[in-house]
Amino acid sequence: MTAMYAMHHALRRELEHIARVTVRIDDDPRRILRTAIGWQLFTRSVRIHHRAEDDMLWPALRRQLADRPDDLVPLEAMEAEHAAIDQVIATVDELLADPEADQVRLGDLADSLVTGLRGHLGHEEDAVIPLIRRALTARQWAAFDQIHARRVGADAPRLLPWLLENADPQTTARVLATLPEAARTAYDTQWQPAHAALDRWCSRA
């Protein structure tokens, strides 16, 4: 489950940036988020990840756990948490599109996003990943991985180096090993250098 944990690590990393951006006093947090590549990459990744889980992973688990209703309860919680997080993100995007938006409200929404997504990731790791390990076959997990990768699609040159930023060498090697050789070469020579050059959260003067 290397890619799953890599995604969780990346989302937690970006939440730290969001928390810092929305309390900055040397610039307008609304302007930063509105223009930040980091916000675009974060929201795109969250939506792909959540929808792949909702469309493929949870239904597969429900089929495997149909005779164990108590184990289905966490899956209902996962879907509810996804919906709540996605709604907060949508509300932030609406606020960023409004030039008269309240900066204080943005801070409150950012707090809700950081708290909600951190809690969700921990909940998933504690309550659902053990179910995945116990109930799903390697083939079913591979099918989810493939759907997730397919939905990333043309965004791979942007999202893959984002995913692996600050990942340990073993995680990076395992994730890249799933790619065709041409994609691995592109990652090393083009995608990762381009990502490293980005000022994702407008931190440079």
Side-chain angles (χ1 to χ4, degrees):
M1 301 187 68
T2 302
M4 173 75 84
Y5 281 109
M7 176 61 72
H8 285 200
H9 172 78
L11 293 177
R12 288 185 172 108
R13 179 196 69 220
E14 298 303 280
L15 288 174
E16 293 180 6
H17 286 290
I18 292 168
R20 284 196 294 269
V21 162
T22 51
V23 296
R24 282 179 63 171
I25 59 174
D26 61 330
D27 205 339
D28 185 347
R30 295 166 299 183
R31 185 198 67 79
I32 296 174
L33 279 190
R34 188 181 298 121
T35 59
I37 297 170
W39 177 252
Q40 298 169 21
L41 296 174
F42 168 79
T43 56
R44 176 69 174 147
S45 297
V46 169
R47 287 170 176 139
I48 290 172
H49 186 62
H50 283 184
R51 288 171 187 169
E53 288 182 333
D54 290 344
D55 294 346
M56 175 64 187
L57 190 55
W58 309 151
L61 275 172
R62 282 195 169 91
R63 289 191 293 271
Q64 295 295 104
L65 300 170
D67 60 344
R68 296 161 59 181
D70 288 348
D71 284 341
L72 298 178
V73 174
L75 303 185
E76 296 173 2
M78 291 299 103
E79 291 183 335
E81 290 168 14
H82 280 184
I85 292 162
D86 293 348
Q87 182 57 57
V88 173
I89 289 173
T91 304
V92 171
D93 281 337
E94 291 173 4
L95 184 148
L96 296 178
D98 179 2
E100 305 299 323
D102 182 359
Q103 184 170 323
V104 173
R105 185 163 181 247
L106 176 61
D108 291 341
L109 287 168
D111 287 344
S112 295
L113 177 60
V114 171
T115 300
L117 185 49
R118 280 178 178 162
H120 167 70
L121 296 174
H123 190 190
E124 186 172 295
E125 290 164 359
D126 292 342
V128 178
I129 287 182
L131 294 178
I132 293 171
R133 292 187 186 280
R134 188 165 68 242
L136 290 192
T137 65
R139 179 173 293 184
Q140 287 170 318
W141 181 251
F144 166 70
D145 257 352
Q146 290 169 3
I147 285 178
H148 199 293
R150 196 177 304 133
R151 294 188 180 188
V152 171
D155 284 330
R158 297 196 315 152
L159 296 186
L160 190 58
W162 172 90
L163 174 72
L164 295 175
E165 181 179 323
N166 298 332
D168 63 77
Q170 186 178 36
T171 295
T172 299
R174 285 180 174 177
V175 171
L176 294 181
T178 66
L179 301 179
E181 183 177 353
R184 293 197 299 271
T185 299
Y187 176 89
D188 289 335
T189 62
Q190 301 172 40
W191 303 353
Q192 197 283 328
H195 177 79
L198 293 175
D199 182 13
R200 297 199 322 280
W201 295 103
C202 307
S203 59
R204 300 172 193 164

